[in-house]
Amino acid sequence: MNNCESEEIVEAANIAISNLLPTKSRSLYDIAYNRFKKWCAEKNVQVYSENVLLAYFSENAKNYKSSTLWAQYSMVKSFLIIYDNIDISKFPKLIAFLKRTGDGYQAKKSKISTKSEIDRFLSSADDNEILMIKVGLILGIAGACRTDELVNLNVDDIKDPVGKNTMGKIPSVVASYLKLPDVACYTGHCLRRSSATLLADAGVDITTIKRHAGWKSTTVAEGYVENSIENKTKIANQVLVAGDDEVMV
């Protein structure tokens, strides 16, 4: 403690520091940081240099995919900045190494549900047996909801609590009912991707789609929009119409 700082100021500062980390995922940050600290203790590491971080993530790269490594890096980075005043985002060799771990890796995107599939499920599935799935499907598509957003809905009329795993399986339940192929590929992300794709099919611009789903990045938003048959058909028709007009002129 600085001699010029009272215990009250230090305590207030510590409380402020503790609030710098996200509340919901704080436990995951703790686990990532403690794992790193344990590794350092086993290696008798005293200084968190770039070589130390490279060795740590190089060892982890043997067991984890690129996306997991980046998540671990982000959590360890936050703790090191807050508690050790070390900014590992300024370690160029570490960043280059993490980027290389993703070479050739392409994340699998969830399949989407088309408008006709959604309509068919809603009209034919038995309300007495599968009403909750229908409600979750409608809310998820209409709101471009994440699974946890559906779980945390605060609606007074909803009496039966539904867990995250159940909500996340809604797309696969729909796909299974409709006897679609690759049922396992209809993950919880299907609802957001389907919502964005349906808007794109309707001719809605990317700015509106971003606003609808809460995306700030155009690239991220476009990544959720399936390059669907409907889109390709519309574009092809526009090209053909433009071509006919040009010929007529």
Side-chain angles (χ1 to χ4, degrees), residues 214-247:
W215 293 306
K216 294 182 179 180
S217 167
T218 297
T219 302
V220 171
E222 289 175 342
Y224 272 82
V225 177
E226 179 76 7
N227 191 10
S228 62
I229 296 297
E230 288 87 348
N231 262 329
K232 291 180 179 179
T233 301
K234 287 181 180 179
I235 293 171
N237 287 336
Q238 289 172 349
V239 170
L240 292 174
V241 170
D244 289 342
D245 291 342
E246 189 175 15
V247 171

Side-chain angles (χ1 to χ4, degrees), residues 71-143:
Q72 294 294 315
Y73 158 81
S74 178
M75 290 184 279
V76 170
K77 179 185 70 173
S78 297
F79 260 103
L80 287 176
I81 288 177
I82 294 172
Y83 293 108
D84 300 286
N85 201 29
I86 298 173
D87 186 1
I88 64 175
S89 68
K90 295 180 180 179
F91 290 171
K93 289 182 288 186
L94 174 62
I95 302 301
F97 170 77
L98 290 172
K99 288 181 178 179
R100 285 293 302 274
T101 62
D103 287 353
Y105 173 77
Q106 187 173 5
K108 293 182 179 179
K109 294 181 178 180
S110 170
K111 285 200 162 191
I112 67 160
S113 297
T114 65
K115 187 176 185 303
S116 61
E117 290 168 350
I118 294 169
D119 290 342
R120 184 152 57 96
F121 176 78
L122 292 176
S123 62
S124 61
D126 189 344
D127 287 350
N128 293 323
E129 297 180 0
I130 211 160
L131 181 59
M132 188 281 294
I133 299 295
K134 286 188 175 183
V135 173
L137 177 64
I138 293 171
L139 292 175
I141 295 293

Side-chain angles (χ1 to χ4, degrees), residues 34-246:
N34 290 333
R35 185 185 295 127
F36 170 69
K37 295 279 283 188
K38 180 181 178 181
W39 180 89
C40 288
E42 292 172 350
K43 304 292 183 182
N44 295 317
V45 170
Q46 302 296 324
V47 179
Y48 304 138
S49 66
E50 183 169 20
N51 283 340
V52 168
L53 272 297
L54 271 170
Y56 177 72
F57 281 102
S58 176
E59 189 172 305
N60 277 272
K62 299 174 183 178
N63 301 311
Y64 299 105
K65 60 185 180 181
S66 178
S67 58
T68 302
L69 290 176
W70 276 109
Q72 294 294 315
Y73 158 81
S74 178
M75 290 184 279
V76 170
K77 179 185 70 173
S78 297
F79 260 103
L80 287 176
I81 288 177
I82 294 172
Y83 293 108
D84 300 286
N85 201 29
I86 298 173
D87 186 1
I88 64 175
S89 68
K90 295 180 180 179
F91 290 171
K93 289 182 288 186
L94 174 62
I95 302 301
F97 170 77
L98 290 172
K99 288 181 178 179
R100 285 293 302 274
T101 62
D103 287 353
Y105 173 77
Q106 187 173 5
K108 293 182 179 179
K109 294 181 178 180
S110 170
K111 285 200 162 191
I112 67 160
S113 297
T114 65
K115 187 176 185 303
S116 61
E117 290 168 350
I118 294 169
D119 290 342
R120 184 152 57 96
F121 176 78
L122 292 176
S123 62
S124 61
D126 189 344
D127 287 350
N128 293 323
E129 297 180 0
I130 211 160
L131 181 59
M132 188 281 294
I133 299 295
K134 286 188 175 183
V135 173
L137 177 64
I138 293 171
L139 292 175
I141 295 293
C145 295
R146 300 178 179 87
T147 299
D148 57 349
E149 290 174 329
L150 286 173
V151 173
N152 293 321
L153 281 175
N154 184 17
V155 183
D156 293 336
D157 291 335
I158 296 179
K159 304 300 181 183
D160 298 326
V162 180
K164 186 173 182 178
N165 289 337
T166 300
M167 283 295 188
K169 291 178 181 177
I170 287 176
S172 63
V173 171
V174 174
S176 178
Y177 176 88
L178 297 175
K179 294 181 171 52
L180 301 177
D182 304 320
V183 170
C185 294
Y186 289 85
T187 68
H189 286 298
C190 172
L191 299 176
R192 279 171 71 76
R193 295 200 68 223
S194 298
S195 181
T197 301
L198 289 173
L199 283 177
D201 286 344
V204 175
D205 61 88
I206 194 66
T207 300
T208 302
I209 293 174
K210 285 165 57 179
R211 188 181 301 115
H212 171 64
W215 293 306
K216 294 182 179 180
S217 167
T218 297
T219 302
V220 171
E222 289 175 342
Y224 272 82
V225 177
E226 179 76 7
N227 191 10
S228 62
I229 296 297
E230 288 87 348
N231 262 329
K232 291 180 179 179
T233 301
K234 287 181 180 179
I235 293 171
N237 287 336
Q238 289 172 349
V239 170
L240 292 174
V241 170
D244 289 342
D245 291 342
E246 189 175 15

